[in-house]
Amino acid sequence: MKNKKRITIGVVVVLLALAAILAVIMLKKFAPNKTHMSLTKYFQVTDQGMMPVVLEDDICGLKAIEKDGHIYVDREFVTEKLNHRFYWDANENMLLYTTSTKLISAALNSKDCYINNKSRDSKDYTIAVAQDNVVYVALDYVQQYTAMDYKQYKKPNRIVIHTVYNKDISYADAKDDVQIRNKQSIKSPILQDVKSGQKLRVLAGENKDTGFMKVMSESGVIGYVQAKKMKETYKKQSETTFREESYSHILMDKQVNLVWHQVTNQSANGRLSGLLSATKGVNVVAPTWFETSDNDGNVTSLASDSYVQTAHQAGVQVWALCSDFGPKMKIGKVLGTTSKRQKLVKNLIAEAIRYDLDGINIDFENVKKDSGEDFIQFVRELGIMCRNNGVVLSIDNYPPAGGISAYYNRKEQAEVADYVITMSYDEHYAGSAEAGSVASINFVEEGIKQTVEQVPANKIINAVPFYTRIWSTTGTDVSSQAVGMAMAQEYIKAHNIETVWDEETCQNYGEYMDGDTYNQVWLEDAQSIGVKLNVCLLYTSPSPRDRG
C-alpha cells in the first residue's frame, strides 16, 4: 500500500515537473519578447560624431554632424533630398543658392552670405563647414529657403526632418500601451515603448497574416505594432508658412515661329532683309552672334545695331544665340567655376543691353554629364539677369530620347528660363554607321512626347531641320554630306531620281546607284515639315479641342 502511494506521489511529481517544463516552453513560445534593441544599433550609429537623418519615413543614414550647437547636413543630401537649388562650387569653395531674383553666396567657414554679390547678411552660425572631405550645410540655413521642419532627438543623437505639407498623412493613436518592434512578431525585440494615447504615423495598414501594422514614431523610429492595440486610422494635413519665391516668365502671347540665322561674319548681317522676305510668319530670328571664346568666360560677338533695327521694324524679335563650339573651348571649365560662370553671364547680358536684344538663346552642345549641375546653375544665374532686364531666355536641347542628355535637366530649365527648345534632328548624323533620316517622324514625335512630360507645353519650342543628308555607301564605307532643302532638290533633279513617300519616316525618299556606290536621300520639304508641325501641335496645343 505504501509502495502504491509512493508510486502515485512520484507520478504526480513527474507530471508536475512535465507541466512546469511545458509551461516554460509555452511561455517562451507565446509570451512577448521584453528585450529592447539598442537604438544605436538600430540606427547603425558607428561614429559618435555622426548623426543619422530621418526624412519623412526614410532612414537616410549618417548624414549630419553637430558643431557649436548647430546641426549641419551633408551638402549632397541637401541638394538631392531637401532643395535642389543649393549648389556647391568645389573650385572656389563656395555655397550658392538661387531664387528667381537673387543669387546668395557664402564662402566655406564663413558666417556671411552675399546677395547678388552686393549686400551682406550675417548669421550667428557658420553657414558651411567641411569635415573629412565632406561639405556640410547648416540646417537652419537650408530651412531659410526650404519648406521644412526638423527636430533633434537624443540617445542616440538623430535628426528627424519633415518636408511634406498640404497632403493627407495617415495616423493612429494607441488605445493601450504598445511596443514598436523591429519585425512583425511579438518575439521580435522592442524598439520603442508607446504609451496609451500616443500618436503614431501609419506607414502600412494591418497585415492580416501577422496582425501588425507598420508605423513611425515622432522621434523617427520605424517598426511594427499590433494593430489590435491601435485606434482607427485617420488623416491629417500639416501646413507651413513658408512660401517659395515664384518665378516669372517672359512669354509671347502668340506661337513662337523662330528661325536660326547662320551669321559667320559681319557681312552676313546684311542678309537679314532677304531672309525675312523669303519666309512667312517668322516672329523671332536668332542670329548666331556669340561664341564662348576661351575658358575664362569671355565671348566673341558679331552683333549689329542695324540688324536689330531692321528686325524690329519688321515686327520680329531678336534672340541672339551663344554657342560653345570654339575648337579650344572646354565649356565645363567655365561652368564649374563661379567667377568664370558669372563673367560669362555678365558678358552676355551686357551685349543684350548694348544691342537692345529681345532675348538670348543658349546653344551649349558640348556639356558633359559631369558638368550637368554646373550648366543648370549657369541657366539659373543667367535667368536672374535676363528677368531683371526684360530679356527672354531660351535654351537649346538635344532630343531627350533614351535619357542620354537627362543631365540637361529640362524640368529645371522650364522653371528658371522662358523657353525650352528641342532640336528634333540629327537622328542620323555625319558619324553614323548607317544611312538614315535626319529626322524621321517617330524620332521627332518621341522627342516631343518626352519633352512634354518635363516641360509645360506653352514653354516648348520644337525645332525642325531645313536640311538633309545625301548618303553614299560603298561596301561597308558610309559617308554623307549635309545640304539645304533647295540643294537637295537640285541633287534630285541632276540625277533624275524618282522619289516616293515613305510612310515610316514621313519623308519623300530617293535612291540611285553610281557604279558600286549606293546613294540615298530622305528629303525635308513642305510635306515632311507639315507632318512634323502637326505632330508638334498634337502634343503642345493647350486643349484637346485645339489639337483637332
Side-chain angles (χ1 to χ4, degrees):
M1 191 71 175
K2 288 182 179 180
N3 288 335
K4 283 185 177 182
K5 286 184 177 180
R6 289 194 189 104
I7 292 171
T8 301
I9 292 171
V11 170
V12 170
V13 169
V14 170
L15 290 174
L16 289 173
L18 290 173
I21 293 171
L22 183 60
V24 170
I25 293 173
M26 296 299 288
L27 186 63
K28 287 184 176 180
K29 183 176 181 179
F30 294 106
N33 187 345
K34 295 183 178 181
T35 61
H36 287 70
M37 176 186 283
S38 163
L39 289 185
T40 298
K41 178 181 178 181
Y42 170 75
F43 284 109
Q44 298 182 1
V45 178
T46 55
D47 183 341
Q48 293 304 311
M50 299 292 298
M51 290 185 283
V53 172
V54 181
L55 175 60
E56 292 301 336
D57 59 353
D58 184 21
I59 299 174
C60 301
L62 304 178
K63 301 293 183 182
I65 61 174
E66 186 171 2
K67 185 177 178 63
D68 299 329
H70 291 273
I71 305 302
Y72 292 78
V73 178
D74 185 333
R75 195 281 307 172
E76 290 188 1
F77 176 83
V78 170
T79 302
E80 293 172 5
K81 300 291 186 178
L82 301 180
N83 191 324
H84 63 276
R85 292 199 174 121
F86 278 98
Y87 170 86
W88 174 250
D89 178 348
N91 291 313
E92 297 185 335
N93 287 331
M94 187 178 298
L95 179 73
L96 295 98
Y97 185 75
T98 315
T99 73
S100 65
T101 58
K102 294 177 286 191
L103 176 64
I104 303 105
S105 58
L108 186 68
N109 299 321
S110 174
K111 293 184 177 181
D112 298 329
C113 61
Y114 292 84
I115 300 171
N116 292 337
N117 296 320
K118 296 178 181 178
S119 60
R120 184 176 69 178
D121 181 16
S122 297
K123 308 297 181 184
D124 61 358
Y125 53 84
T126 304
I127 295 170
V129 299
Q131 179 174 299
D132 299 328
N133 295 319
V134 176
V135 175
Y136 294 87
V137 184
L139 206 46
D140 287 336
Y141 188 71
V142 177
Q143 190 176 34
Q144 185 176 343
Y145 303 104
T146 310
M148 57 163 284
D149 295 293
Y150 77 91
K151 190 172 181 179
Q152 182 179 5
Y153 293 90
K154 304 289 187 179
K155 297 181 180 179
N157 276 330
R158 58 193 184 276
I159 306 300
V160 178
I161 302 175
H162 179 59
T163 58
V164 176
Y165 299 95
N166 303 319
K167 291 184 180 180
D168 285 337
I169 297 177
S170 298
Y171 294 96
D173 299 333
K175 62 182 178 182
D176 297 309
D177 290 350
V178 66
Q179 297 78 35
I180 300 178
R181 296 185 181 274
N182 192 39
K183 295 181 180 180
Q184 300 184 62
S185 168
I186 60 172
K187 309 305 290 183
S188 180
I190 298 169
L191 297 175
Q192 194 171 46
D193 293 304
V194 177
K195 295 294 184 181
S196 175
Q198 187 172 333
K199 179 177 71 175
L200 297 175
R201 182 171 175 175
V202 177
L203 305 182
E206 181 181 0
N207 182 324
K208 298 299 183 182
D209 294 330
T210 65
F212 279 79
M213 59 197 300
K214 189 176 183 179
V215 297
M216 173 180 168
S217 72
E218 186 181 82
S219 63
V221 175
I222 298 173
Y224 302 88
V225 297
Q226 288 180 288
K228 66 181 182 182
K229 294 189 176 182
M230 302 298 294
K231 295 181 181 179
E232 291 293 323
T233 299
Y234 59 91
K235 304 282 188 180
K236 187 177 180 180
Q237 285 190 357
S238 56
E239 298 179 353
T240 177
T241 58
F242 177 85
R243 293 293 179 267
E244 184 177 352
E245 186 177 0
S246 61
Y247 279 75
S248 60
H249 297 99
I250 307 171
L251 301 177
M252 297 180 68
D253 58 2
K254 63 184 83 172
Q255 179 177 289
V256 177
N257 293 323
L258 176 149
V259 60
W260 282 300
H261 183 196
Q262 190 72 25
V263 177
T264 57
N265 51 56
Q266 281 292 348
S267 62
N269 283 320
R271 303 191 187 106
L272 176 61
S273 295
L275 171 71
L276 295 177
S277 63
T279 59
K280 293 181 180 180
V282 170
N283 52 24
V284 177
V285 61
T288 58
W289 277 347
F290 307 135
E291 186 173 82
T292 53
S293 58
D294 56 30
N295 297 323
D296 292 319
N298 293 305
V299 298
T300 57
S301 173
L302 290 170
S304 162
D305 282 318
S306 59
Y307 186 105
V308 176
Q309 292 170 8
T310 300
H312 286 174
Q313 288 170 2
V316 174
Q317 292 191 17
V318 179
W319 296 0
L321 178 147
C322 181
S323 68
D324 64 342
F325 301 158
K328 296 182 179 180
M329 271 305 304
K330 300 290 184 184
I331 191 63
K333 291 186 176 181
V334 177
L335 300 179
T337 303
T338 297
S339 59
K340 296 179 180 181
R341 190 176 60 249
Q342 291 184 356
K343 184 176 182 179
L344 176 57
V345 167
K346 291 175 182 177
N347 282 332
L348 288 173
I349 207 68
E351 291 289 299
I353 294 171
R354 178 182 175 185
Y355 290 97
D356 192 25
L357 301 180
D358 304 285
I360 293 175
N361 175 231
I362 298 299
D363 187 24
F364 288 178
E365 300 184 25
N366 295 310
V367 177
K368 306 301 181 185
K369 187 174 182 179
D370 290 346
S371 298
E373 190 176 341
D374 306 326
F375 172 70
I376 290 301
Q377 183 62 22
F378 164 72
V379 176
R380 293 187 188 114
E381 293 172 13
L382 181 57
I384 292 174
M385 297 297 287
C386 285
R387 270 186 296 280
N388 291 346
N389 290 279
V391 176
V392 176
L393 177 58
S394 60
I395 313 296
D396 299 342
N397 291 267
Y398 296 111
I404 297 173
S405 59
Y407 58 89
Y408 272 78
N409 198 344
R410 294 161 187 80
K411 182 177 180 180
E412 182 69 354
Q413 286 184 34
E415 288 286 340
V416 302
D418 298 306
Y419 288 100
V420 176
I421 300 178
T422 297
M423 301 178 291
S424 294
Y425 41 81
D426 282 346
E427 178 183 5
H428 292 84
Y429 50 94
S432 292
E434 60 181 10
S437 169
V438 168
S440 70
I441 193 60
N442 289 336
F443 178 80
V444 173
E445 181 174 9
E446 187 60 26
I448 298 172
K449 181 179 178 181
Q450 291 187 30
T451 301
V452 170
E453 292 173 356
Q454 305 170 52
V455 179
N458 67 331
K459 304 193 72 180
I460 295 174
I461 298 175
N462 186 62
V464 297
F466 279 16
Y467 73 95
T468 188
R469 285 189 172 275
I470 297 172
W471 295 89
S472 298
T473 304
T474 306
T476 58
D477 294 331
V478 179
S479 62
S480 67
Q481 59 173 320
V483 296
M485 294 167 70
M487 187 176 291
Q489 292 295 337
E490 292 175 5
Y491 174 83
I492 292 293
K493 291 179 181 177
H495 295 86
N496 295 316
I497 299 173
E498 182 180 350
T499 60
V500 294
W501 181 254
D502 177 23
E503 288 292 345
E504 184 176 352
T505 61
C506 285
Q507 291 171 295
N508 283 300
Y509 168 78
E511 62 183 28
Y512 85 101
M513 291 295 298
D514 182 11
D516 294 333
T517 302
Y518 181 39
N519 299 283
Q520 299 169 275
V521 60
W522 286 262
L523 294 172
E524 290 295 356
D525 51 26
Q527 190 175 4
S528 68
I529 296 296
V531 176
K532 290 178 174 64
L533 291 178
N534 286 334
V535 167
C536 182
L537 290 173
L538 177 67
Y539 286 95
T540 60
S541 292
S543 69
R545 182 184 63 186
D546 297 330
R547 295 175 184 169

